[in-house]
Amino acid sequence: VLSLNAEIHAHGYEIIYDAHPNRLTVKVETSLVKVKDEPPKPPTEAELQQIINTLLFELLFAAKKIRRNELWVAVSRINQQINNRLLQLIEFHTASVTKTSQGIRYDGRFLEQRIPQVVLEKLPLCFAKYAVFDAIQTIEHLLEITYYLSKEICEEQNYPFEAKQFDGTRKLYDEIFENEEM
């Protein structure tokens, strides 16, 4: 069991024993010595572009769902699929810009301790409430954070940054809600 769980323990899971807390400590520490912690790897240009494309598509799709009065679907996509992709982009940012020795693993476990404060401060507005106005504001914020993270990664990795891609997405987004009073 210790060898199977060594990687998990090495990457932040804590071990709590109800009885005899010191009995397994040496065995656990010994199992951790064998775990090689590879630092997070920055994305390739293709990987980065794929996640950006997916995020922008998903954000427009969620906006269309709001416009069609499918709020449940829109909010679900924002808080699940889109935020899972955002987590990937944050992982890429952490590997590229922050260059921390610890990656973000296990669906964001200890995320708050492993990302820069400036990114952490942007996260509260990345989750939508079940309300049209809030979902629209969340999409707008997600567009902004996607732009911010993508630009920083591109600058750090010397990849071309496609601001036109974001401008085009913003234009389509504005067209979706044109003449709409929310």
Side-chain angles (χ1 to χ4, degrees):
V1 171
L2 289 175
S3 63
L4 289 174
N5 292 308
E7 178 192 3
I8 294 169
H9 296 285
H11 296 300
Y13 282 85
E14 295 180 24
I15 305 163
I16 301 171
Y17 305 100
D18 292 333
H20 311 293
N22 295 326
R23 185 177 284 175
L24 291 175
T25 303
V26 173
K27 289 181 181 180
V28 170
E29 289 173 357
T30 303
S31 73
L32 296 181
V33 172
K34 299 174 186 173
V35 176
K36 294 180 181 177
D37 189 21
E38 294 185 27
K41 294 178 181 162
T44 65
E45 189 174 343
E47 289 171 329
L48 178 60
Q49 194 56 54
Q50 178 64 38
I51 195 70
I52 292 169
N53 291 343
T54 301
L55 269 165
L56 296 179
F57 171 82
E58 288 285 346
L59 289 168
L60 287 173
F61 186 79
K64 283 187 174 190
K65 291 299 177 181
I66 294 169
R67 180 76 166 97
R68 292 180 187 163
N69 295 317
E70 296 181 57
L71 185 59
W72 178 271
V73 174
V75 170
S76 295
R77 291 192 83 83
I78 291 167
N79 291 339
Q80 295 171 17
Q81 289 96 330
I82 293 171
N83 278 336
N84 285 336
R85 299 290 188 223
L86 178 62
L87 181 61
Q88 289 178 295
L89 191 61
I90 292 170
E91 289 173 355
F92 287 163
H93 184 269
T94 300
S96 301
V97 177
T98 309
K99 299 179 184 174
T100 182
S101 62
Q102 285 189 309
I104 299 166
R105 295 181 175 84
Y106 308 110
D107 296 325
R109 186 165 170 90
F110 298 115
L111 176 75
E112 296 79 9
Q113 290 86 24
R114 295 178 176 168
I115 63 174
Q117 187 66 31
V118 67
V119 176
L120 185 60
E121 289 169 0
K122 295 177 184 297
L123 294 184
L125 299 176
C126 292
F127 297 88
K129 294 178 185 167
Y130 192 73
V132 171
F133 184 73
D134 188 74
I136 290 170
Q137 284 187 314
T138 303
I139 290 172
E140 290 175 1
H141 182 71
L142 285 164
L143 278 168
E144 291 172 20
I145 193 171
T146 300
Y147 180 94
Y148 170 81
L149 294 170
S150 301
K151 188 170 190 221
E152 283 213 336
I153 295 166
C154 286
E155 287 173 357
E156 187 64 34
Q157 297 300 317
N158 294 315
Y159 296 156
F161 179 69
E162 300 293 333
K164 289 180 184 179
Q165 182 179 23
F166 286 89
D167 295 340
T169 301
R170 171 57 72 184
K171 183 180 178 203
L172 290 170
Y173 174 81
D174 290 342
E175 288 173 7
I176 290 170
F177 291 112
E178 190 175 66
N179 301 322
E180 188 71 21
E181 292 185 29
M182 297 283 169

